[in-house]
Amino acid sequence: MSASLAPECNGVKERYDSCFLKWYSEKFLRGNATTDECEPLFKQYKQCLGKALKSRGIDTMLEEAREDNRENDAQHLRGGCESLVHPAIPRESCVRILTII
Amino acid sequence: MKVFATSTDFDYSWEEVSTSNWRKYGPWNEKTPHVIAVDTLSRTIDPDTGILRTERLITCKQTAPKWVNTLLGSKDTSHAYETSYVDPKAKKVTICSMNMTYSDLLSVRETVVYRPASSNPSARTTMEQNAKITAFCGGWQKIKNSIEQFTVERFQQNAAKGREGFEMVLEMSRKVFAEQRELRILQEAKTALAP
């Protein structure tokens, strides 16, 4: 399984990933996903990761990405996936490019 | 804006592909060393549709040419945000990703869909990959074009490596699964024979 961006979370991440993979292949794909027995492990992993995301400032970047992703949720949790249109071009970025050049 | 679209079949069932997809960037994949971390942020099952929704954060480390660094600012570590939707009844996996780094200058949006192949639905899986790359900056067409061109080329290279690496993961998964099954049968036989 892949590593975590926070090395201190690798141990609990590995335990959670293995638990999830077993649940996914043996229960979820077979239509027997009534309970999620990996939830306690996921809670531990999320707690560890949450701290790392905050200290690296990634949490605020994630908020923006989540905002942009709303249309995907609307489409895929209900079907269809066409519009990948980005909102209007931010003025600041153009100014930044022009200043660099 | 640049568009990239490709479609490939894998000689594995949809169940195998959708399971192996979770370990696509693990140690069995030797082709994508630029993906250094994959973290799961949230996971829920939609109560109405039964679709499993997962949010992940992908961390990459890849160097860019100097002119790109001059334009975009040099950052060797970048992040992508991925949401995936697994519909076990329809046998469909949809994975949507977007760049988080440089997102004020460039938008890279990718959608990958895995479905049973129409030619052999029980043993083959079709992957459709679409990406849209847009650099922002009204008026400066030439700069926009070169940033987009570089990104689409890098994207194509990474997509090819990703496919090759995924084949390795699929092969290993099948091997390990078969080994585990053999072991289980052996153990069961041993228990049955024990006095």
Side-chain angles (χ1 to χ4, degrees), chain B residues 2-22:
Chain B
K2 293 239 177 332
V3 176
F4 170 81
T6 171
S7 169
T8 330
D9 276 10
F10 291 103
D11 271 323
Y12 294 86
S13 68
W14 180 83
E15 284 77 6
E16 285 180 283
V17 169
S18 98
T19 304
S20 292
N21 176 55
W22 298 115

Side-chain angles (χ1 to χ4, degrees), chain A residues 4 13 24 45 66 73, chain B residues 18 38-39 53 55 85 140:
Chain A
S4 170
K13 178 193 190 299
Y24 182 84
Y45 166 44
R66 282 201 176 103
D73 274 340
Chain B
S18 98
V38 179
D39 283 285
R53 177 188 186 274
E55 269 185 305
Y85 310 85
W140 285 71

Side-chain angles (χ1 to χ4, degrees), chain B residues 23-42:
Chain B
R23 35 162 62 123
K24 181 173 174 184
Y25 297 113
W28 293 343
N29 182 344
E30 292 165 12
K31 302 280 174 178
T32 55
H34 62 283
V35 179
I36 56 167
V38 179
D39 283 285
T40 305
L41 302 166
S42 79

Side-chain angles (χ1 to χ4, degrees), chain B residues 4 10 14 49 60 73 80 88 101 112 129-130 153 168 175 184 193:
Chain B
F4 170 81
F10 291 103
W14 180 83
T49 56
C60 302
T101 311
V112 173
Q129 184 178 27
N130 284 287
E153 277 166 20
M168 298 171 85
K175 234 192 220 158
R184 214 167 38 226
L193 286 172

Side-chain angles (χ1 to χ4, degrees), chain A residues 1 4 14 18 26 28 31 35 45 57-58 63 67 76 96:
Chain A
M1 218 64 79
S4 170
E14 206 179 309
S18 317
E26 292 175 10
F28 178 74
T35 51
Y45 166 44
I58 300 171
E63 282 314 309
E67 200 59 40
H76 299 297
R96 200 174 134 201

